[in-house]
Amino acid sequence: MAIVGSDGLVRAANERLLALFAPAGAGAGALTGASAADLCALREEPWMWSSFVEVLQGRRAELLVSRRLKAADGTPLWAEVTITPLAAGGALLSVADVGEDRELRARLRHLQMHDAVTRLPNRALFFERLSGALEQAREAGTGRIGLVYLDLDGFKAINDTLGHRTGDRLLAAVGRRLTDCAAAHGGHLVARLGGDEFALLVTGSTGTEQAGELATAVLNALQEPFDLAGQRHSVSASIGVVERAARGTTATALMQAADTTLYWAKADGKARWTLFDPERNAHRMTRQALSSGLRPAVERGEFQLAYQPLVGLGDGAVRGVEALVRWRHPRLGLLTPNRFIGLAEENGAIVQLGRWVLRTACRQARAWQLTRPETPVLMSVNVAVRQVWDSDLVADVAEILAETELPPGLLQLELTESAVMGSAGRPLQALQALHEMGVGIAIDDFGTGYSNLAYLSRLPVTTLKLDGSFVRGFRDAEHPNPADETIVEALVHLAHQLGLSVVAEGVESEEQAQRLRAIGCDTAQGWFYSRAVSAEKVTELLGAPVRP
């Protein structure tokens, strides 16, 4: 400690301060007259010097700073410098050696910011460095950044079969190999982000080629077997590579892109690296947006039905229609089922959507029955297997038929062959209950699934819908496919022997219609007759042969 005059010079100092700043053997007054600002390096920054002056003048209550000083013998030290004004004028100077505290904090920070298994920087330090690199690159204006994000394929199996100790040894060995690889390609930062996930940060990237070369080098490095306690272990990795301009991106956005690209690498077969593709990501984002918007879209009434006629091959009359749902998306326009039905089945929205389709279709069928009772129209509605498992389909159908007053015989439910064949338990019970109610059951896309004919004798099926792939073989009258014709003829004959009617899907030409008629197929649908059209257009077609 020392007393400092209002002029900033030392008036008196205690022995500890003398031992720190005075030469060895110096007397008690060795520091008298010395500049306190020079002793404590307070002139190096303008704000610090002005604050020091304000304390000496009594206009500031205290100045507290940490400074890197040099002792009289040249030894550097970190000190906490405190200067407080005295009532009689001048100030009290206090210098505390905080070197050990800083060293302890540094060790604690190192432990906090590094992975205990691999000794690599951990997720926290990686994000700190990534954010700093992005900021520095953005300041440069044209700076770019690259990220190689990987995880080990099948690492969980190693932990499960060989134990976590062996797994940790393997992770440490992988970390060392990645560090060597990064050092050989420019000294890039390597971090373990958790589990079996690692990342390599490419600052000052020169382009996608550099990041791709690094990813290839990582794959090659990991292909070499690892020798752990006398045992050789082989691993592979899936890698997502992102390289872009720093301006306009964030650490979170970069990691999200890397995570997405890593998922692509795994989906594409693992043991490879994949470069981020904005178009592929846009498709994924669109898919995600569609999936999350399905349920609200049903509530907002954004769906509508179109109807494709089912035409009798004998007389060309409309025997029924298949209800096909469309989504009037506010941004993407009119979407066909192939854009959203799969998503609805994945996230369960198919139950709510399917119930709406069934109710809307039955209302329309009842309207046709009331206006044209002489030409009853069969309404065929597609049903997903998840509607059977995740809801009470039988109760839904019964409620909607009662609500719309549609006779059960005018409703037909279509299930795909893969959903119907092998049915047991609840699905089979539901089909039987619907059949007993009087509702028709059709197997859609027949011939493309299990084709287990033995089930046809046990299932309450009324109709087979032949997949359009068979009908396509009928397209060329001069060069017909005899195999397709033989298969269709055999299926039609088998169905009729079992008391089932047959619908041919995908009919596109007069030649196809004629040959299906000759074989004995009952009904057809396809563009040759009509595309899916509005209910008003179907009303015009009722009661008259359909002519393309």
Side-chain angles (χ1 to χ4, degrees), residues 149-159 170-171 174 195-198 218-219 222-223 226 233-240 261-274:
Y149 181 43
L150 67 106
D151 80 356
L152 305 181
D153 300 323
F155 178 74
K156 183 177 183 299
I158 294 176
N159 269 343
L170 179 59
L171 289 174
V174 167
D196 59 343
E197 298 177 0
F198 295 83
V218 167
L219 282 178
L222 296 181
Q223 283 178 352
F226 291 85
H233 301 277
S234 297
V235 297
S236 63
S238 298
I239 303 177
T261 313
L262 173 60
Y263 171 80
W264 294 343
K266 285 192 173 295
D268 292 342
K270 301 182 180 181
R272 67 191 64 211
W273 67 267
T274 300

Side-chain angles (χ1 to χ4, degrees), residues 53-227:
V53 173
E54 289 175 0
V55 171
L56 294 179
Q57 295 174 349
R59 294 187 292 112
R60 183 185 180 97
E62 183 183 61
L63 174 62
L64 175 63
V65 291
S66 293
R67 305 298 296 155
R68 186 174 177 82
L69 306 178
K70 184 178 291 186
D73 59 1
T75 303
L77 76 150
W78 277 99
E80 187 176 86
V81 178
T82 306
I83 304 173
T84 54
L86 296 174
L92 175 65
L93 169 66
S94 174
V95 180
D97 186 349
V98 294
E100 291 185 1
D101 290 343
R102 288 184 63 91
E103 185 178 347
L104 177 59
R105 285 198 295 268
R107 287 200 300 269
L108 291 174
R109 173 176 165 78
H110 182 85
L111 292 174
Q112 183 183 9
M113 306 296 274
H114 286 76
D115 173 55
V117 174
T118 63
R119 307 304 173 106
L120 293 173
N122 61 13
R123 178 179 288 270
L125 182 54
F126 176 80
F127 269 92
E128 183 180 291
R129 297 281 181 84
L130 173 59
S131 299
L134 281 171
E135 184 176 353
Q136 186 176 4
R138 282 193 290 265
E139 290 176 355
T142 58
R144 301 184 67 84
I145 197 158
L147 181 60
V148 176
Y149 181 43
L150 67 106
D151 80 356
L152 305 181
D153 300 323
F155 178 74
K156 183 177 183 299
I158 294 176
N159 269 343
D160 292 344
T161 57
L162 302 177
H164 287 273
R165 179 172 296 182
T166 299
D168 287 349
R169 289 175 180 168
L170 179 59
L171 289 174
V174 167
R176 290 191 294 271
R177 200 167 286 186
L178 291 177
T179 301
D180 293 342
C181 183
H185 287 79
H188 309 296
L189 174 70
V190 181
R192 182 191 176 198
L193 303 187
D196 59 343
E197 298 177 0
F198 295 83
L200 291 83
L201 180 62
V202 182
T203 57
S205 173
T206 60
T208 56
E209 184 176 348
Q210 179 188 20
E213 289 177 354
L214 179 59
T216 300
V218 167
L219 282 178
N220 293 336
L222 296 181
Q223 283 178 352
E224 294 294 325
F226 291 85
D227 189 353

Side-chain angles (χ1 to χ4, degrees), residues 78 87 91 183 195 244 325 382 387 398 418 477 526:
W78 277 99
R244 59 177 58 165
V325 65
N382 291 280
Q387 289 177 256
S418 57

